[in-house]
Amino acid sequence: MGRELANLFPVAKETYDEADAALGYKLSQLCFEGPEDQLKLTEITQPAILTVSVAAWRVLQSQGITPAYVAGHSLGEYSAHVAAGTFSFADAVRTVRNRGKYMQEAVPVGIGAMAAILAMPIETIRQICDEAAQGEVCQPANMNSPDQTVISGSKGAVERAAELCKQRGAKRAVMLPVSAPFHCALMQPAQDRLADDLRALEFHAPQMPVMCNVDAALVTTAEQSRDALIRQVTGAVQWDRSMRHLAALGVQDFIEVGPGKVLCGLLRQIDRSLKCLNVEDESSLEKTLNHFTPASPKAD
């Protein structure tokens, strides 16, 4: 994960070195070599994904690509703020390590759950969550696209909601293999602990507007940025609305940085007229750079 760019570009290798120094262990080795079971621990997963994403972003920046806006899905909002200069990468990598730790400790394994609901209107899903809760927590956590909503909460309540969604016409309702129920009220203890860490960090006004998850709105000041990252822990990720907001501002070209192409897939579900490229290795970087050369055809 990320090794190819680190071998090719000094700025990417320096990003991994910076992460290793900030964390006090060889995150770079875990990213490049595994083992996978360690990478799956959320307090390692979160700084690993952040580091791979920032390394890819810095390579892109070194090639002359500068965004008008930045956004990130959940954890990715930290990568967006690093790109915008809101806080340092070293501070971000330490903060997301703690974020992962706090989230895991907030709810013991097996107590919470998440499920993906496909092809069902969000209002119907909200009603089913309320009905299935029965005094427990059950709520939409990620509004990813018109076709995909993820719900989160107490295990029993989420299982009841997933079953009701199936019965009432959802295309699919799939329990997700996650270690904690993210973006719901059960994360309040994690939010309280992370708030203390974020208030202790030095924040700057972002150098370009950052689309925040919790409001699907642009943040442009240090305090707005801090507040959005705090509320994000228990708040739902408004990804569908966020992307539509950027499109309404005239954005036509989107670049996903870091491992995988999940966000490009979601963007196709939101608006097929928008162009999404990704950067995670040499070939994807080359394809993205070619798109932005003068001779390249642009998206409509």
Side-chain angles (χ1 to χ4, degrees):
M1 187 168 77
R3 177 160 49 186
E4 197 172 319
L5 290 181
N7 288 340
L8 289 168
F9 295 93
V11 72
K13 184 183 182 304
E14 286 159 16
T15 304
Y16 288 97
D17 293 344
E18 201 179 333
D20 291 350
L23 294 170
Y25 68 86
K26 286 279 188 184
L27 180 73
S28 56
Q29 192 173 338
L30 286 170
C31 287
F32 301 158
E33 299 168 20
E36 193 177 341
D37 61 334
Q38 268 195 279
L39 273 172
K40 284 182 175 174
L41 300 170
T42 191
E43 64 184 278
I44 293 176
T45 307
Q46 296 204 23
I49 290 174
L50 174 79
T51 302
V52 175
S53 301
V54 170
W57 144 251
R58 286 177 170 174
V59 170
L60 205 53
Q61 186 184 37
S62 74
Q63 303 300 301
I65 303 293
T66 305
Y69 305 93
V70 287
H73 187 288
S74 189
L75 166 68
E77 198 167 330
Y78 285 81
S79 306
H81 278 292
V82 172
T86 312
F87 40 60
S88 73
F89 171 60
D91 279 345
V93 83
R94 285 188 291 262
T95 301
V96 301
R97 173 191 58 194
N98 291 346
R99 181 180 184 266
K101 182 170 181 284
Y102 300 158
M103 286 175 157
Q104 195 59 73
E105 291 174 354
V107 182
V109 174
I111 299 298
M114 299 182 79
I117 313 299
L118 304 186
M120 178 170 263
I122 182 61
E123 284 313 315
T124 306
I125 294 171
R126 281 189 209 281
Q127 290 163 10
I128 288 173
C129 284
D130 289 345
E131 185 181 333
Q134 296 177 18
E136 295 182 312
V137 172
C138 186
Q139 59 197 93
N142 301 349
M143 280 74 107
N144 285 334
S145 75
D147 297 331
Q148 185 191 110
T149 299
V150 175
I151 62 173
S152 181
S154 310
K155 187 169 185 283
V158 171
E159 287 173 343
R160 287 191 294 272
E163 191 54 42
L164 283 171
C165 286
K166 278 192 254 189
Q167 291 172 14
R168 295 182 192 174
K171 185 178 177 183
R172 289 184 74 197
V174 186
M175 299 300 293
L176 299 177
V178 294
S179 58
F182 304 118
H183 299 290
C184 76
L186 294 177
M187 287 287 115
Q188 192 62 51
Q191 179 164 307
D192 294 341
R193 293 170 76 186
L194 189 67
D196 291 338
D197 290 359
L198 288 169
R199 289 188 186 112
L201 283 194
E202 184 178 6
F203 274 64
H204 306 280
Q207 290 160 15
M208 72 276 289
V210 180
M211 182 61 69
C212 82
N213 287 185
V214 74
D215 300 320
L218 294 171
V219 294
T220 56
T221 71
E223 276 315 305
Q224 285 176 334
S225 303
R226 193 192 321 263
D227 176 62
L229 288 173
I230 291 170
R231 289 187 293 121
Q232 185 218 58
V233 180
T234 58
V237 177
Q238 307 277 353
W239 194 250
D240 185 359
R241 282 178 52 210
S242 296
M243 295 301 98
R244 291 180 193 280
H245 188 161
L246 289 174
L249 291 169
V251 178
Q252 288 289 302
D253 293 307
F254 293 75
I255 306 174
E256 178 175 1
V257 294
K261 296 190 281 190
V262 171
L263 301 182
C264 284
L266 293 179
L267 195 64
R268 275 195 299 276
Q269 294 176 11
I270 293 165
D271 186 340
R272 296 191 77 85
S273 74
L274 302 173
K275 178 74 175 176
C276 191
L277 300 132
N278 79 300
V279 175
E280 60 177 326
D281 54 20
E282 186 181 16
S283 64
S284 56
L285 172 68
E286 198 172 308
K287 185 179 175 186
T288 296
L289 292 176
N290 286 341
H291 175 75
F292 288 101
T293 57
S296 283
K298 295 280 179 160
D300 292 337

